[in-house]
Amino acid sequence: MSLAVPGAPRATDGYTNNVFAGKLEQQTQVATVLADKGFIPPELVANEVEWFYQNLGIDDMYFQVETVDTIAQHVLALYGAKIMAFVKNEKELEINLERETEDGAIYIHTSRPGVTAQSGPQYEKRIDASFLDASSTAKSFRLESFRAQGAMSSAIATQLRCYFIRKCNFVKTELAPGEETDMQLISDTDFLQKATANTMEIYLSVIKQVLVRTGPVIEMFDVPGSREKRLVIGYRQKTTQSFFAALSDLYHFYELYSTRKYVEQFSNGVTIICLYLNQVPGSAAPPIENSIFQVIKEASLIYCLPTTPLQSYFQTGQLSVQEVIYGYVGWIFAQHFLNRLGNEYVALQSVLDPNNANQSEVLTKIKKRLRTDTFTRDYILDIIKLYPELIKLCYLNFAMAHYVSPSRSDLPPSLSFQRLQSIPTLTEAELLDKIKKTVSNNHELMIFESYLTFNKHVLKTNFYQPTKVALSFRMNPAFLPAVEYPQPLFGMFLVISSEFRGFHLRFRDIARGGIRIVRSRNREAYSINLRSLFDENYGLANTQQRKNKDIPEGGSKGTILLDYTQQDKARVSFEKYVDAMLDLLIPGESPGIKERIVDLYGRPEILFFGPDEGTADYMDWASQYARKRGAPFWKAFTTGKSQSLGGIPHDTFGMTTRSVHQYVVGIYRKLGIKEETVTKIQTGGPDGDLGSNEIKISKDKTIAIVDGSGVLYDPEGIDREEIFRLASTRRMVNNFDVAKLGKKGFRILVDETNVVLPDGTVVDSGLKFRNEFHLHPLSSADLFVPCGGRPESVDLTNVSTLYTPDGTPRFKYIVEGANLFFTQEARLKLEKSGVVVFKDASANKGGVTSSSLEVLAALAFTDDEFHEHMQVHGGRVPAFYADYVRAVQAVIERNAELEFECLWREGLRTGRARSLLSDELSLGIVRLNEELQGTTLWDNVPLRRLILQEALPALLVEKLGLDTLLKRIPESYIRAIFGSYLASRFIYKYGTEPSQFAFFEFL
């Protein structure tokens, strides 16, 4: 955001006036039409038309674009409305004239300056929804809006507001490199005719800033010779919704009104809103010279969340925009974390046997039911709406901790800070007492107590950052109840925007995990995903923690749940998520753009993001954007990047599959099975990373593949050459040549209905058939390898479908490639029936190992060395890079083999389920790792160097030397390498129950 110096002389009358040369002639034609209609007395026609044309102050653009007949209808409507107002003795007149086409619209309505209408046609919301939010480089709409200066009549003081929306006609839509900032090419032809040279200059400056940022660019200019302010706001198309209408709510709150408003679109994907603002006559609010800065400050906040269910409290002046958005954030927090299980649940848990799969599953179902049914989203919101005064007090408690006080700012105290000073500050105990005395029952108390819990555990936030694209909060996760989340988290982030809500959870300071986009097919699916979002994130991060046993990083995971109306905004949401997180990781040093925030955590943090469902294509952008933001850790910030940025793509080199397949071939090796004779079913198709590489690396007889497009099935074995073709080109099974299926084979796609299978069975819904095929009787084979699918696809309620009528399991071996595909209770039941099961935390760890070694290289090399040895340019693969990739593959296969051998051996020795042994092995390594980092072994320098010489990749040691590596890589990371290597090698060799002398023998 850049601001012009108040009072500085600048030519800011940004558009030429609209002048319609044929106005007088048209006026005569309109009068003739009205006289012919006969509805207005003949002696009044001339006066009414004259008043309409000359006294109302309607912009000439209206007369230029409308037909004579339409204008005559509008004059007639206005006359009729005046008659009705006279009959009812009303002092105000309501007029709503509109015309909509595919290419634009015209709206004219009565409007009181500085007031947001709570009812009526809500034209600005309609304009947002129908035109501005939908604008893209393919089809855009520009807007001109004018407030008429004249009154409706001598007795009625109502003014008219006109909106003119027209489809853009860009000079050039397909832009060549370097043309994105050529105003003569990217602009609409009408804009080029109307914009002054000064406007072109201002807009170009804003556009250049928008193209290198993710958030809004806001500039303010004085209009010479007046107190009027010109506000110019630029942002990328489709990065916010309902923003135009929300801006009106914002400046109305400060008793400002607009005389003119413009929205311009450009073919480079940039939108610019230009507002001319004045103070409402007779206003008792702070002068516009002060309030305009508050509008600028809060425009960034409503860009993140233009509308919320609490919007009416802002529109009516009961709550400020900060208070409303804070109240909305607290509502979201309460939805996820309101503790609603109660003492009865804890008592029930204490008497049930945790090792009994049936009892554990029932307890899980009770927990889900209690958390879903006790406090619904709507119920929580209804209670919050009852007490706006409590939102105000809770917000004050939050602001006192995180608002950057004027003493730390070069600007004078803002209006929002002055508001804070005007409200008595309550201590936490006094605030809780106030809440107890205000609410009427225990449920209401619990909801507002959750606001206090939120306030108490926010360590830092970008809420008060001058520019932001989403709200982010670094939380202390200590408030999470141990009964629900027994493994304590180290760190937690909450990110909220109008397109999504998301979390990032990690179990150690140095942690790694992917960022996942969660989509919903409909509103019901969204509600389900919403209820399970945090628990799923926690479970995925916990699985990652166990999966990361071989590497220095602990487990983490990020989730981004797209709102059910924003399913096409995955890229925008990811970019906002990353930018908001970086706000909390990088100290702000740009006044007015990114400033320092209140940091109650007080220590630097580095997060490592990896690819997951829906984000694999975004890793390059995130790394480069972190570099642009000045993050010193940019090279290591994301993994799975393209090779040109030094990444080691998991899918290109089959990193995840190399670990999963080691368990498959391990089973074959132990049982003396020839792979070519094995029948296999896999979920996750040839278009995905794990699914495609599993097809390419295996030699079995695959009889069924389930992916996003449908189900492919052939009991004689799917044509391997054809599925190899699909896997090589990353295409779904809907591209399979069905001519290559056997007589009993079929392909059912998700959009098909009433399909007859070869055996005569009718499939009513292809979507339902796809979703449940792994539970279908046809889903039966020697081996099942889930390579994709939703968490908990198989639990204790449906695991019985994986058995034949005589009780025989339909699979002999299961290697769980997809995270959390089975619940633990389902795994244990299958293992009890004799199925060989290897769970996700053991099998699916190749990707994290590859990512860890990718980060290690990024931390070890300088920027120049990294460019030379790790970045592929113009198809030239550096020799070091090629060798390093092969070394990474070897490490993955070796780690998988070591763990497989340990689990197989321990399973035979103890007779216990390998799903339990896997957890014990993982937890044992994690626990021993943490203990080793704090022992005197670390202080034994010769031993430390000996272990690190073996633990660090030989290629890096050879290239840089051990001393250089120890100097460049953070000590906390080196300690983690030391501990994880020692711990994993010891446990793999001696198992989960080593003797007390085993470690000495190991050393």
Side-chain angles (χ1 to χ4, degrees):
M1 174 181 68
S2 58
L3 306 178
V5 178
R10 298 194 66 162
T12 55
D13 191 12
Y15 289 79
T16 58
N17 292 330
N18 295 310
V19 178
F20 178 38
K23 187 174 180 180
L24 290 177
E25 181 183 351
Q26 185 192 68
Q27 180 178 339
T28 302
Q29 294 172 347
V30 169
T32 301
V33 170
L34 287 171
D36 291 343
K37 288 182 179 292
F39 291 109
I40 301 177
E43 65 273 15
L44 298 181
V45 168
N47 285 338
E48 289 298 324
V49 175
E50 176 73 15
W51 193 275
F52 188 86
Y53 267 80
Q54 306 302 332
N55 294 70
L56 289 183
I58 299 175
D59 191 84
D60 270 21
M61 186 176 183
Y62 166 78
F63 301 104
Q64 187 171 352
V65 301
E66 286 291 17
T67 66
V68 169
D69 286 341
T70 300
I71 296 173
Q73 291 174 6
H74 289 171
V75 174
L76 188 59
L78 178 59
Y79 177 77
K82 287 195 291 184
I83 295 297
M84 185 63 69
F86 175 79
V87 170
K88 293 183 177 181
N89 196 29
E90 293 177 345
K91 296 299 182 183
E92 291 195 1
L93 185 63
E94 183 174 342
I95 294 293
N96 296 303
L97 307 176
E98 61 182 79
R99 182 173 63 85
E100 295 179 346
T101 69
E102 290 187 0
D103 292 334
I106 292 177
Y107 304 110
I108 300 177
H109 74 107
T110 45
S111 169
R112 288 176 55 200
V115 177
T116 296
Q118 298 296 302
S119 59
Q122 304 288 302
Y123 285 127
E124 291 198 349
K125 291 183 179 179
R126 287 168 60 178
I127 290 169
D128 271 325
S130 300
F131 301 104
L132 302 185
D133 293 351
S135 286
S136 66
T137 54
K139 185 178 182 180
S140 294
F141 295 89
R142 66 183 299 269
L143 174 144
E144 296 183 41
S145 177
F146 308 93
R147 175 174 294 282
Q149 298 304 308
M152 297 294 298
S153 72
S154 57
I156 299 175
T158 308
Q159 291 182 328
L160 291 178
R161 161 71 72 178
C162 308
Y163 300 92
F164 305 99
I165 304 102
R166 301 191 71 178
K167 184 180 178 182
C168 291
N169 179 27
F170 296 122
V171 175
K172 188 174 183 181
T173 54
E174 300 295 329
L175 301 174
E179 294 180 341
E180 296 89 350
T181 56
D182 188 330
M183 294 296 286
Q184 297 301 321
L185 296 179
I186 64 176
S187 301
D188 168 75
T189 53
D190 284 348
F191 168 75
L192 289 175
Q193 292 177 6
K194 296 183 177 184
T196 64
N198 177 254
T199 290
M200 298 284 279
E201 177 188 344
I202 291 172
Y203 285 13
L204 177 59
S205 172
V206 170
I207 286 170
K208 286 180 177 179
Q209 295 179 69
V210 170
L211 291 176
V212 296
R213 284 201 215 162
T214 55
V217 175
I218 308 172
E219 298 200 18
M220 186 273 287
F221 305 91
D222 292 334
V223 176
S226 73
R227 296 178 65 197
E228 189 171 50
K229 307 297 179 183
R230 183 185 187 190
L231 206 59
V232 179
I233 305 172
Y235 57 94
R236 292 177 183 268
Q237 290 176 342
K238 292 186 175 294
T239 58
T240 188
Q241 301 86 40
S242 306
F243 189 45
F244 180 68
L247 283 172
S248 296
D249 293 343
L250 176 60
Y251 59 73
H252 288 166
F253 182 82
Y254 293 101
E255 297 189 26
L256 305 179
Y257 74 97
S258 65
T259 54
R260 292 175 285 162
K261 297 194 272 192
Y262 301 89
V263 180
E264 303 293 353
Q265 311 285 354
F266 298 90
S267 63
N268 59 4
V270 173
T271 297
I272 289 183
I273 297 176
C274 178
L275 309 171
Y276 288 84
L277 301 179
N278 293 269
Q279 190 140 23
V280 173
S283 168
I288 189 173
E289 289 77 10
N290 292 343
S291 61
I292 191 64
F293 290 99
Q294 197 64 35
V295 171
I296 292 169
K297 191 181 186 73
E298 294 174 2
S300 176
L301 193 58
I302 66 167
Y303 170 86
C304 301
L305 290 165
T307 59
T308 75
L310 301 174
Q311 194 78 0
S312 62
Y313 294 95
F314 172 48
Q315 293 171 331
T316 55
Q318 296 180 70
L319 296 174
S320 69
V321 66
Q322 292 105 327
E323 291 162 346
V324 162
I325 290 180
Y326 166 81
Y328 175 76
V329 171
W331 176 51
I332 288 179
F333 182 83
Q335 292 171 38
H336 292 285
F337 302 114
L338 200 59
N339 185 8
R340 48 216 132 154
L341 297 184
N343 296 328
E344 294 82 358
Y345 175 85
V346 177
L348 179 62
Q349 185 187 47
S350 66
V351 299
L352 295 180
D353 180 6
N355 296 316
N356 185 303
N358 290 321
Q359 292 182 11
S360 295
E361 187 78 9
V362 168
L363 194 65
T364 299
K365 297 298 182 186
I366 291 174
K367 180 173 74 173
K368 289 182 178 180
R369 176 65 63 82
L370 283 171
R371 295 174 63 186
T372 302
D373 294 348
T374 311
F375 289 89
T376 65
R377 295 172 67 217
D378 291 340
Y379 179 64
I380 296 171
L381 181 62
D382 288 343
I383 289 175
I384 291 171
K385 286 181 173 180
L386 293 175
Y387 303 103
E389 70 277 15
L390 291 183
I391 295 177
K392 188 182 292 285
L393 291 174
C394 289
Y395 168 74
L396 178 62
N397 178 264
F398 168 82
M400 286 295 103
H402 297 285
Y403 193 94
V404 179
S405 69
S407 61
R408 282 176 276 176
S409 172
D410 296 331
L411 294 174
S414 64
L415 296 183
S416 56
F417 185 78
Q418 294 175 37
R419 278 199 302 268
L420 296 179
Q421 301 303 303
S422 67
I423 305 173
T425 303
L426 303 179
T427 65
E428 186 177 337
E430 290 171 338
L431 179 54
L432 180 59
D433 184 60
K434 173 69 174 176
I435 291 171
K436 289 178 178 178
K437 291 178 178 178
T438 303
V439 299
S440 58
N441 57 54
N442 192 53
H443 276 190
E444 295 178 353
L445 174 61
M446 291 172 66
I447 288 170
F448 280 97
E449 280 181 329
S450 73
Y451 275 85
L452 299 186
T453 300
F454 173 76
N455 289 357
K456 187 176 180 179
H457 291 87
V458 174
L459 298 176
K460 49 185 174 179
T461 176
N462 70 348
F463 193 93
Y464 296 105
Q465 203 51 285
T467 62
K468 51 193 166 289
V469 296
L471 299 179
S472 55
F473 305 87
R474 167 60 161 95
M475 310 289 297
N476 177 353
F479 67 89
L480 295 172
V483 66
E484 296 185 60
Y485 307 103
Q487 188 73 15
L489 287 168
F490 179 89
M492 168 183 168
F493 289 81
L494 168 64
V495 186
I496 298 171
S497 125
S498 57
E499 295 89 359
F500 71 93
R501 66 181 68 180
F503 293 101
H504 187 275
L505 310 178
R506 75 188 199 273
F507 282 93
R508 285 217 296 262
D509 186 12
I510 297 175
R512 128 157 0 279
I515 309 298
R516 168 176 297 196
I517 299 286
V518 181
R519 299 178 183 271
S520 311
R521 291 183 64 89
N522 50 43
R523 187 186 292 264
E524 181 182 0
Y526 175 77
S527 296
I528 294 170
N529 289 334
L530 181 65
R531 289 195 297 267
S532 63
L533 181 65
F534 183 82
D535 284 354
E536 181 176 317
N537 199 148
Y538 178 88
L540 289 167
N542 204 2
T543 298
Q544 197 78 31
Q545 170 80 344
R546 296 192 296 272
K547 198 190 297 185
N548 288 12
K549 62 183 80 69
D550 300 320
I551 62 176
E553 300 96 339
S556 71
K557 186 68 71 171
T559 51
I560 300 172
L561 174 64
L562 301 179
D563 187 84
Y564 69 90
T565 64
Q566 305 292 323
Q567 295 299 299
D568 61 337
K569 299 290 180 59
R571 176 67 183 247
V572 167
S573 298
F574 178 82
E575 291 184 1
K576 288 188 174 185
Y577 178 92
V578 169
D579 194 54
M581 295 278 278
L582 287 173
D583 283 346
L584 304 186
L585 300 178
I586 305 173
E589 297 178 350
S590 303
I593 300 176
K594 298 293 183 185
E595 299 177 347
R596 287 193 174 271
I597 59 175
V598 176
D599 185 358
L600 302 180
Y601 183 62
R603 296 187 294 277
E605 291 186 280
I606 300 177
L607 300 182
F608 301 117
F609 291 170
D612 205 312
E613 293 179 11
T615 62
D617 294 336
Y618 307 153
M619 294 297 110
D620 283 7
W621 175 87
S623 173
Q624 293 301 92
Y625 186 71
R627 184 181 196 179
K628 190 182 298 182
R629 287 278 310 258
F633 49 79
W634 70 269
K635 297 195 301 295
F637 184 52
T638 63
T639 55
K641 302 182 292 293
S642 64
Q643 294 168 274
S644 63
L645 295 177
I648 303 177
H650 299 172
D651 53 355
T652 302
F653 298 107
M655 296 304 191
T656 307
T657 308
R658 285 181 180 275
S659 176
V660 174
H661 203 64
Q662 280 300 309
Y663 283 81
V664 174
V665 298
I667 294 171
Y668 298 158
R669 183 175 65 249
K670 292 295 183 181
L671 300 179
I673 299 172
K674 191 174 181 180
E675 184 174 4
E676 290 81 356
T677 66
V678 174
T679 57
K680 182 183 75 179
I681 290 175
Q682 74 173 65
T683 56
D687 62 310
D689 169 12
L690 187 52
S692 64
N693 283 300
E694 172 62 23
I695 289 169
K696 291 195 284 188
I697 204 172
S698 62
K699 298 180 290 184
D700 52 57
K701 187 166 77 170
T702 301
I703 64 171
I705 297 176
V706 182
D707 70 8
S709 67
V711 177
L712 183 66
Y713 176 82
D714 193 334
E716 302 301 318
I718 299 171
D719 186 282
R720 182 153 288 277
E721 183 178 334
E722 177 66 1
I723 58 171
F724 189 89
R725 177 185 70 84
L726 297 183
S728 299
T729 55
R730 288 299 184 87
R731 304 174 75 184
M732 292 187 181
V733 298
N734 60 347
N735 293 285
F736 186 90
D737 183 357
V738 293
K740 297 185 178 181
L741 287 173
K743 292 182 178 180
K744 296 182 180 180
F746 59 80
R747 185 190 65 187
I748 303 293
L749 302 181
V750 293
D751 56 357
E752 294 181 324
T753 57
N754 299 319
V755 181
V756 181
L757 300 183
D759 64 359
T761 304
V762 177
V763 175
D764 296 326
S765 165
L767 176 62
K768 187 173 186 293
F769 187 73
R770 189 280 308 269
N771 291 344
E772 299 175 356
F773 184 75
H774 61 286
L775 308 174
H776 194 278
L778 288 176
S779 185
S780 179
D782 297 325
L783 173 67
F784 181 30
V785 183
C787 297
R790 297 297 298 153
E792 300 186 7
S793 292
V794 180
D795 58 20
L796 206 58
T797 64
N798 61 22
V799 69
S800 59
T801 62
L802 299 189
Y803 293 82
T804 62
D806 65 1
T808 304
R810 291 198 276 109
F811 302 109
K812 298 176 183 178
Y813 325 113
I814 296 175
V815 178
E816 191 178 11
N819 288 323
L820 302 177
F821 191 87
F822 291 85
T823 65
Q824 183 76 329
E825 295 77 19
R827 296 188 195 106
L828 295 177
K829 182 177 177 68
L830 289 165
E831 288 205 63
K832 191 173 182 180
S833 302
V835 181
V836 176
V837 178
F838 285 99
K839 68 181 296 184
D840 51 1
S842 292
N844 182 353
K845 63 178 184 176
V848 299
T849 303
S850 174
S851 295
S852 179
L853 293 171
E854 181 183 328
V855 163
L856 186 60
L859 294 173
F861 285 125
T862 63
D863 285 4
D864 290 341
E865 290 169 344
F866 193 75
H867 183 274
E868 178 184 354
H869 298 301
M870 286 296 293
Q871 293 183 252
V872 177
H873 295 288
R876 186 189 67 81
V877 180
F880 180 88
Y881 180 92
D883 292 339
Y884 196 67
V885 167
R886 285 190 288 271
V888 170
Q889 292 172 330
V891 170
I892 290 171
E893 292 175 351
R894 178 59 177 159
N895 286 345
E897 183 182 5
L898 286 172
E899 183 171 358
F900 173 84
E901 292 292 341
C902 179
L903 289 173
W904 192 271
R905 184 180 65 247
E906 290 293 289
L908 294 177
R909 183 180 69 84
T910 65
R912 300 180 64 216
R914 292 187 178 90
S915 296
L916 294 174
L917 291 172
S918 173
D919 288 346
E920 292 174 7
L921 183 146
S922 297
L923 293 174
I925 292 175
V926 170
R927 192 180 303 115
L928 182 58
N929 174 8
E930 293 170 351
E931 291 172 355
L932 287 172
Q933 292 183 49
T935 64
T936 55
L937 286 176
W938 172 260
D939 299 324
N940 186 331
V941 177
L943 175 64
R944 183 204 311 169
R945 291 179 63 87
L946 182 66
I947 291 170
L948 290 173
Q949 185 83 25
E950 187 175 329
L952 290 165
L955 282 170
L956 279 178
V957 175
E958 180 184 331
K959 176 66 69 175
L960 297 174
L962 182 61
D963 289 332
T964 300
L965 291 173
L966 298 181
K967 190 181 300 181
R968 291 180 177 177
I969 301 171
E971 182 181 316
S972 57
Y973 203 90
I974 290 291
R975 279 180 179 267
I977 293 173
F978 174 85
S980 64
Y981 184 81
L982 267 183
S984 62
R985 289 329 186 246
F986 173 70
I987 297 290
Y988 287 154
K989 183 173 182 178
Y990 290 95
T992 56
E993 299 174 346
S995 70
Q996 54 184 320
F997 300 106
F999 194 75
F1000 295 101
E1001 178 185 329
F1002 172 69
L1003 287 180

